[in-house]
């Protein structure tokens, strides 16, 4: 983006005009002072205003929002979006009507969108950034469901004395299961199979 140039009596006034036109805050802007204001001879002759150029900062969160806005507009899907950038991570929460389409079957569409956003955000960048995308708290609810499932099936494996095989899951969901059960001394977990059919086995310790 070339940026917006503005003139005013002071630098701050010129910056404020540019920020208002771009619809961004000062924290989101790159500000270049092109000319300092001058009062001229006796404050009258030869005076000139301040002139600034203001651009939108090219940040990971800005790039992520740019792509998401394009995708959602193409889908004609209005949403409320909250974006936070922290320690080379971008956290995006989406809420709205009919946003279930962004989740898909067992979160497959959500995972694909998150992967696409991560690729886009890191394109031609030296510093890597991870994007975490959630829709109406789906990931949190799914994690809680998997943790409860892990405990339930671990008890089943222990009581029956034989392996319990879970359905195929993504690597992220398998990690949740492994983590939920890693502290137990009566069962252990491992994965087998090839993606996308890789699954977890919960096995009782002999």
């Amino acid at each position: 983006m070339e940026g917006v140039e503005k003139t005013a009596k002071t630098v701050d006034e010129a910056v404020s005009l540019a920020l208002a036109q771009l619809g961004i805050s000062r924290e989101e802007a790159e500000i270049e002072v092109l000319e300092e204001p001058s009062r001229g001879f006796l404050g009258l002759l030869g005076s000139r205003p301040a002139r600034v150029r203001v651009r939108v900062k090219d940040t990971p969160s800005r790039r992520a929002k740019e792509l998401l806005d394009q995708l959602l507009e193409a889908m004609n899907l209005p949403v409320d979006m909250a974006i936070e950038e922290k320690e080379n991570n971008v956290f995006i929460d989406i809420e709205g009507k009919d946003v279930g389409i962004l989740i898909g079957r067992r979160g497959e569409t959500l995972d694909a969108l998150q992967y696409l956003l991560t690729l886009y955000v890191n394109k031609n960048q030296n510093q890597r950034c991870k994007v975490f995308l959630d829709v109406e708290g789906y990931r949190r609810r799914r994690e809680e469901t998997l943790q409860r499932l892990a405990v339930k099936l671990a008890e089943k494996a222990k009581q029956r004395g034989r392996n319990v095989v879970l359905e195929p899951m993504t690597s992220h969901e398998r990690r949740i299961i492994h983590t939920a059960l890693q502290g137990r001394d009566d069962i252990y977990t491992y994965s087998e199979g090839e993606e996308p059919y890789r699954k977890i086995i919960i096995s009782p310790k002999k």
Side-chain angles (χ1 to χ4, degrees):
M1 179 181 287
E2 289 298 321
V4 171
E5 289 190 17
K6 290 293 181 181
T7 59
K9 288 183 178 181
T10 67
V11 169
D12 283 343
E13 289 178 5
V15 168
S16 295
L17 291 173
L19 294 176
Q21 181 172 330
L22 292 171
I24 61 174
S25 67
R26 186 177 285 266
E27 290 73 23
E28 298 173 291
E30 292 181 358
I31 301 170
E32 180 183 3
V33 179
L34 302 176
E35 287 186 20
E36 294 282 354
S38 173
R39 296 187 57 172
F41 181 67
L42 298 178
L44 297 173
L45 300 176
S47 63
R48 65 172 183 265
R51 186 163 66 95
V52 302
R53 180 185 292 121
V54 177
R55 300 182 181 88
V56 179
K57 281 183 181 177
D58 183 27
T59 62
S61 57
R62 174 66 61 174
R63 292 193 293 274
K65 185 178 186 304
E66 177 183 61
L67 179 58
L68 261 181
D69 283 343
Q70 293 175 10
L71 292 172
L72 294 170
E73 183 178 356
M75 298 171 68
N76 192 28
L77 190 64
V79 303
D80 292 321
M81 190 187 310
I83 300 182
E84 180 183 8
E85 187 173 331
K86 187 177 181 181
E87 297 178 354
N88 294 327
N89 293 316
V90 176
F91 301 91
I92 306 174
D93 288 311
I94 291 177
E95 293 188 359
K97 186 179 179 181
D98 300 324
V99 291
I101 191 174
L102 299 177
I103 299 174
R105 181 177 177 271
R106 293 178 182 168
E108 290 176 352
T109 303
L110 186 60
D111 288 338
L113 279 173
Q114 180 173 284
Y115 178 70
L116 181 63
L117 285 166
T118 299
L119 287 180
Y120 185 79
V121 162
N122 288 296
K123 184 179 180 181
N124 300 325
Q125 302 297 314
N126 294 324
Q127 192 169 32
R128 307 301 292 175
C129 179
K130 175 67 176 176
V131 177
F132 297 90
L133 177 65
D134 200 2
V135 173
E136 296 207 322
Y138 168 81
R139 292 198 187 280
R140 174 181 51 77
R141 295 195 305 274
R142 178 64 173 164
E143 181 173 351
E144 292 171 351
T145 298
L146 289 173
Q147 289 171 341
R148 289 194 297 269
L149 178 66
V151 173
K152 179 180 178 180
L153 294 182
E155 290 301 319
K156 181 178 179 180
K158 176 184 175 182
Q159 291 172 7
R160 295 188 176 183
R162 61 176 183 266
N163 293 350
V164 172
V165 182
L166 281 71
E167 62 186 15
M169 296 179 181
T170 64
S171 60
H172 174 71
E173 292 188 335
R174 292 197 306 271
R175 192 177 304 115
I176 293 172
I177 298 289
H178 286 308
T179 301
L181 300 177
Q182 67 182 0
R184 298 186 56 150
D185 57 8
D186 53 350
I187 57 97
Y188 65 97
T189 62
Y190 61 95
S191 297
E192 67 176 20
E194 301 295 328
E195 302 287 3
Y197 305 108
R198 193 164 174 79
K199 59 187 70 174
I200 284 183
I201 313 296
I202 300 177
S203 181
K205 290 183 178 179
K206 305 300 183 182

